[in-house]
Amino acid sequence: MTKYIKEKEIDDNTMFEISNDMKNGKIVVFKTDTVYGIGTNAFNEESCKKIYKIKGRPLEKPLCVLISDISMLKKIVDFISPTEQKLIDAFWPGPLTIIFKIKEKIFPNIVSAGNELVGFRLLKNGFAHSLIKVAGVPIVAPSANLSGSPTGTNMKNIISELDGKVDYILDSGNIKDDTTSTIIEVNNEKVIIIREGKITKNEIAQVLSLKNNIYTLAKNKEEF
């Protein structure tokens, strides 16, 4: 049975309970600094499998991981390049997903779809950031919708699709802007834009002064 709770009703005790449940593998729908995500502990293989099943998500599509601070990232990834560090300094916390090579066997294979690369995002301070910080673990959090459906922004649609399938739905109201995070990968100091979202190619170019070394592979709102 899904517990439906409005954000304004969540006190410190309830926050601790939800975060602890998420750490222990429960599935929680919550608003990020872009759209609603459907999240659970990234280290819990069975819970991550549940998210794929709930969404009807193809297993070859990796999951995005949300973190609460840079120290959490450094425990997981192999290396942070100078270009990646510049992007972190400029855009984190914020709507930029950066794809990193992760340490061997740090996550269940299902998180990365068997690859060595995973996209990470550091959330701005707020409700979702607090959930992750209290949980103390990185959280997988694709958009809170069934695969192929509109991105998770409307609470009525989210409840219609996910009620009874997840453990918690935390209602922070509808989201008017459905623009998702920008997804990038840095390869040999060249920036590849996988998906252009809230942060534009021009904004990235201005920070890096690498206008000729930024490539765009796709410009769409498909979930990552």
Side-chain angles (χ1 to χ4, degrees):
M1 181 177 176
T2 300
K3 294 181 181 179
Y4 171 86
I5 310 174
K6 288 184 178 274
E7 181 185 338
K8 63 183 179 182
E9 298 171 351
I10 297 175
D11 57 19
D12 289 344
N13 289 334
T14 309
M15 173 73 78
F16 178 80
E17 178 186 339
I18 296 169
S19 295
N20 194 52
D21 280 350
M22 187 163 60
K23 180 179 181 179
N24 290 327
K26 298 296 186 182
I27 312 295
V28 182
V29 170
F30 56 88
K31 181 182 177 295
T32 72
D33 52 3
T34 53
V35 299
Y36 277 89
I38 174 171
T40 194
N41 185 344
F43 295 132
N44 189 315
E45 183 174 10
E46 291 305 312
S47 298
C48 293
K49 285 180 180 178
K50 285 181 184 177
I51 286 186
Y52 276 95
K53 184 176 180 180
I54 289 167
K55 285 177 60 66
R57 184 182 180 89
L59 291 175
E60 63 270 16
K61 295 186 74 170
L63 295 170
C64 175
V65 175
L66 305 182
I67 56 174
S68 60
D69 54 62
I70 298 298
S71 64
M72 188 178 283
L73 178 75
K74 289 180 177 178
K75 294 174 183 177
I76 298 168
V77 303
D78 242 2
F79 176 73
I80 299 175
S81 73
T83 297
E84 289 164 343
Q85 188 61 56
K86 283 184 180 179
L87 291 166
I88 287 171
D89 293 341
F91 298 113
W92 276 11
L96 180 69
T97 299
I98 305 175
I99 297 175
F100 291 94
K101 181 180 177 182
I102 56 173
K103 294 178 180 178
E104 189 175 357
K105 297 181 180 179
I106 191 76
F107 284 143
N109 279 342
I110 194 167
V111 172
S112 61
N115 202 324
E116 60 182 8
L117 302 175
V118 171
F120 291 85
R121 186 151 68 90
L122 175 60
L123 295 183
K124 292 181 178 179
N125 289 338
F127 177 64
H129 179 270
S130 297
L131 272 175
I132 298 167
K133 187 174 182 179
V134 173
V137 292
I139 301 298
V140 295
S143 176
N145 59 285
L146 302 183
S147 289
S149 295
T151 304
T153 58
N154 182 280
M155 185 49 58
K156 183 178 179 181
N157 291 345
I158 290 170
I159 292 172
S160 174
E161 291 190 346
L162 300 177
D163 186 34
K165 300 176 182 177
V166 300
D167 297 292
Y168 291 92
I169 294 178
L170 309 181
D171 184 356
S172 299
N174 292 336
I175 301 171
K176 292 182 180 179
D177 183 3
D178 68 348
T179 308
T180 51
S181 69
T182 296
I183 302 172
I184 65 106
E185 180 182 348
V186 178
N187 192 327
N188 293 324
E189 299 306 296
K190 295 179 180 180
V191 177
I192 302 166
I193 298 178
I194 311 296
R195 179 184 71 194
E196 189 168 6
K198 285 198 171 184
I199 295 172
T200 67
K201 180 178 180 178
N202 286 340
E203 288 175 303
I204 293 171
Q206 286 174 8
V207 166
L208 299 177
S209 300
L210 288 174
K211 186 172 278 188
N212 295 326
N213 279 352
I214 298 178
Y215 305 90
T216 303
L217 293 186
K219 293 184 178 179
N220 56 51
K221 292 183 179 179
E222 290 184 6
E223 60 181 337
F224 181 72

